[in-house]
Amino acid sequence: MSANPPVAVIVLAAGEGSRMKSTTLPKVLHPICGRSLVGHVVAAAEELAPQQLVVVIGHLRELVAEHLAEHHPAARTVVQEQQNGTGSAARTALEALAADGVALDGTVLVATGDTPLLTGETLRALAEQHAAQGNGVTVLTAVVPDPTGYGRILRHPADGSVTAIVEHKDASPEQRELREINSGVYAFEGKLLAEALGRIGTDNAQGEEYLTDTLHILRSAGHRVGAVVAEDHRDILGINDRVQLAEARRLLNDRLLERAMRAGVTVVDPASTWIDVQVGYQPDAVVLPNTQLQGATRLGEGCRVGPNCTLTDTVVGAGAQVSNTTADRAEIGERCEVGPYAYLRPGARLARKAKAGTYVEIKNSELGEGAKVPHLSYIGDATIGEGTNIGAASVTVNYDGVNKHRTVIGAHCRTGSDNMFIAPVTVGDGAYTAAGSVIISDVPPGALGVSRAQQRNVAGWVARKRPGTAAAEAATAALDGTPEA
Ligand code: UD1
Ligand code: CA
């Protein structure tokens, strides 16, 4: 059966997260796989389309509020002034909802902001079981290999029903042996949650108001307390320190790569490939080792990316080949060739079959269809027409120290190696430029632009100025023993 959308989902994210040992970043904003910890939880909640989505913030609240406003504008934030426990955090959210006249008839889900592997699917299953069983509260639990630090689920010895949750710090040695733990995610009947939160105390090892106490309170008041055991305990991993952060990143990455592989992407080495949640891909894309796909990067059909690529918010067209490349907000067209050792910066746009080769940097520039910048060049603020070839070691000299200027090079041009294009400058369609030229004025279509000093050879200079060197001996030998020739 399918439950109605929850009345509210409350995400607790006010805590300091002291075990992260972070001085600048609140725990819940630490990123993994393209989202913050709290962002993953909020995204899971959004899948259920709750009527209200509330995030409780407190520690470094401005940073968290700003982050949520930018990435999850549908989530509303409420401030818990003093972070004295998960119970008081939940109460803060309920009070804000009540103040807005939101009636709490129905399911209210509560989740912690530090469980980034939580999925919408798991939340939905929890809400459905909760409704189906007619519980006052249903807690998501898991049986874990190492329960250290988690609250333990206490069950009735006779019928196995949940009686209470005891926090690690408050647990007896026997209770600490229990491996069924509280995930920190619950479905409540909204009104019962409000009632129970009115009755929690602070008589515990941490002197805090524990949300977990509501289970015992509701059971004692005669309400049904249920539990859903997560199929995979890793889904509810709570992040308290950076060791767990790395563990969660690896698990989420594995999950995302598996999804990509099942959709037809070849991942040659999953252990050295990192992928963000928003990355998109088409079948037959191939990802070679040591590659990071970040942000909204898109891989086209049959493209080949890697080894050693870091692509951020970059589109890779079908059949393109990208190796040993760093690209940020770039567009790589169909069947382009990029790298090895290319750096594509924001606004680099390569039309189909274009090439950015070895040791080439491109920024805010368009390369037309089939245009090539094969070697050792910097192309910034330029437009390069279709079929044009840029000689090795060329630079569009775009910056005069104050302003940036554009270089426009037409279609089917052949520019010589070691050219400097002093922008603003235009090279017409079908023009050539000579190797070693500094192009300071426009070259008309079909013309040859040359600007270089006449070469002068000073005969015998080495023999006179560098006598006795290997160079002088080699020259003498080449000149048949007549050094002055
Ligand atoms: C909590 C649970 C524990 C459970 C574990 C699952 C309680 C008392 N304990 O413990 O049973 O096994 O999560 O990961 O609930 N927060 C606030 N305001 C506060 C305190 C915390 O918003 O005053 C937020 C934190 O930002 C965090 C979440 O609540 O996102 C959980 O807090 P944390 O301190 O990590 O609780 P745990 O000790 O992990
Ligand atoms: Ca925690």
Side-chain angles (χ1 to χ4, degrees):
M1 75 169 270
S2 120
N4 293 326
V7 180
V9 178
I10 298 169
V11 179
L12 308 183
E16 181 182 348
S18 52
R19 289 164 277 183
M20 291 298 272
K21 306 252 164 67
S22 183
T23 50
T24 51
L25 199 59
K27 172 172 84 174
V28 293
L29 292 194
H30 282 260
I32 59 171
C33 301
R35 269 191 199 129
S36 64
L37 297 183
V38 67
H40 285 288
V41 179
V42 169
E46 280 169 343
E47 286 182 38
L48 276 64
Q51 294 167 37
Q52 306 281 333
L53 176 48
V54 183
V55 182
V56 182
I57 61 174
H59 179 71
L60 296 177
R61 68 191 68 162
E62 297 80 14
L63 293 177
V64 185
E66 205 176 291
H67 172 84
L68 289 168
E70 184 182 345
H71 299 283
H72 299 276
R76 130 177 207 200
T77 53
V78 305
V79 174
Q80 181 194 16
E81 290 293 344
Q82 282 189 344
Q83 288 84 58
N84 51 350
T86 47
S88 103
R91 188 185 313 109
T92 306
L94 288 193
E95 282 170 359
L97 290 173
D100 281 4
V102 176
L104 296 170
D105 297 317
T107 304
V108 172
L109 295 177
V110 180
T112 53
D114 62 356
T115 50
L117 294 154
L118 187 69
T119 62
E121 213 176 311
T122 301
L123 276 180
R124 193 175 289 117
L126 176 69
E128 282 174 7
Q129 294 253 20
H130 174 75
Q133 295 171 3
N135 295 334
V137 56
T138 310
V139 57
L140 179 66
T141 75
V143 178
V144 300
D146 176 12
T148 309
Y150 288 104
R152 307 299 201 281
I153 302 295
L154 306 187
R155 288 182 181 265
H156 195 279
D159 63 9
S161 62
V162 176
T163 56
I165 297 174
V166 58
E167 287 306 296
H168 181 92
K169 286 183 178 154
D170 299 296
S172 66
E174 302 85 70
Q175 288 169 332
R176 287 188 182 180
E177 296 296 313
L178 296 169
R179 292 193 302 116
E180 187 184 8
I181 59 101
N182 168 26
S183 69
V185 181
Y186 325 78
F188 285 96
E189 279 318 287
K191 293 223 158 102
L192 295 181
L193 172 61
E195 254 178 65
L197 285 175
R199 291 162 53 194
I200 53 176
T202 55
D203 183 15
N204 54 55
Q206 303 182 80
E208 288 187 349
E209 292 188 281
Y210 289 169
L211 176 58
T212 45
D213 285 352
T214 56
L215 272 80
H216 179 67
I217 290 169
L218 289 176
R219 184 179 166 111
S220 302
H223 299 288
R224 285 178 59 98
V225 175
V228 171
V229 186
E231 274 171 37
D232 187 340
H233 68 84
R234 294 171 302 187
D235 289 1
I236 56 85
L237 181 68
I239 310 305
N240 294 322
D241 60 36
R242 297 191 200 227
V243 176
Q244 290 168 324
L245 184 70
E247 190 183 347
R249 181 181 286 117
R250 167 55 67 200
L251 287 167
L252 185 51
N253 193 62
D254 286 348
R255 193 195 272 174
L256 295 169
L257 286 178
E258 181 174 337
R259 190 190 295 168
M261 290 187 275
R262 298 221 180 274
V265 176
T266 294
V267 179
V268 172
D269 181 21
S272 70
T273 304
W274 295 91
I275 184 169
D276 281 356
V277 268
Q278 292 95 344
V279 170
Y281 32 72
Q282 297 293 322
D284 295 318
V286 175
V287 183
L288 297 170
N290 199 25
T291 291
Q292 308 193 52
L293 305 170
Q294 301 178 333
T297 291
R298 298 265 170 284
L299 304 187
E301 194 177 11
C303 73
R304 194 177 165 86
V305 171
N308 311 318
C309 288
T310 301
L311 308 185
T312 306
D313 297 324
T314 288
V315 178
V316 181
Q321 313 247 359
V322 183
S323 96
N324 295 277
T325 289
T326 296
D328 179 14
R329 284 164 278 168
E331 286 176 42
I332 299 168
E334 283 174 27
R335 298 172 67 190
C336 283
E337 271 180 64
V338 178
Y341 317 114
Y343 181 24
L344 304 184
R345 291 168 50 202
R349 289 160 53 203
L350 279 57
R352 61 195 295 277
K353 289 177 143 176
K355 172 169 181 162
T358 311
Y359 300 112
V360 168
E361 174 177 344
I362 300 184
K363 178 216 86 168
N364 189 31
S365 296
E366 292 97 49
L367 260 59
E369 183 171 339
K372 291 187 166 67
V373 186
H375 331 274
L376 296 157
S377 294
Y378 170 65
I379 303 295
D381 302 305
T383 303
I384 295 173
E386 62 169 3
T388 283
N389 190 82
I390 303 295
S394 293
V395 173
T396 57
V397 182
N398 58 332
Y399 187 44
D400 60 15
V402 180
N403 295 308
K404 300 277 170 73
H405 302 282
R406 260 196 115 66
T407 298
V408 178
I409 299 177
H412 301 289
C413 295
R414 295 285 175 272
T415 69
S417 289
D418 193 27
N419 276 191
M420 299 289 122
F421 297 94
I422 314 295
V425 72
T426 297
V427 177
D429 290 346
Y432 276 54
T433 58
S437 290
V438 177
I439 302 297
I440 54 169
S441 42
D442 292 354
V443 181
L448 168 69
V450 198
S451 87
R452 60 188 180 208
Q454 215 52 62
Q455 181 174 329
R456 186 167 71 96
N457 295 333
V458 181
W461 185 92
V462 174
R464 287 196 305 279
K465 300 289 191 187
R466 301 288 185 268
T469 62
E473 281 168 25
T476 305
L479 295 168
D480 257 355
T482 49
E484 289 302 312

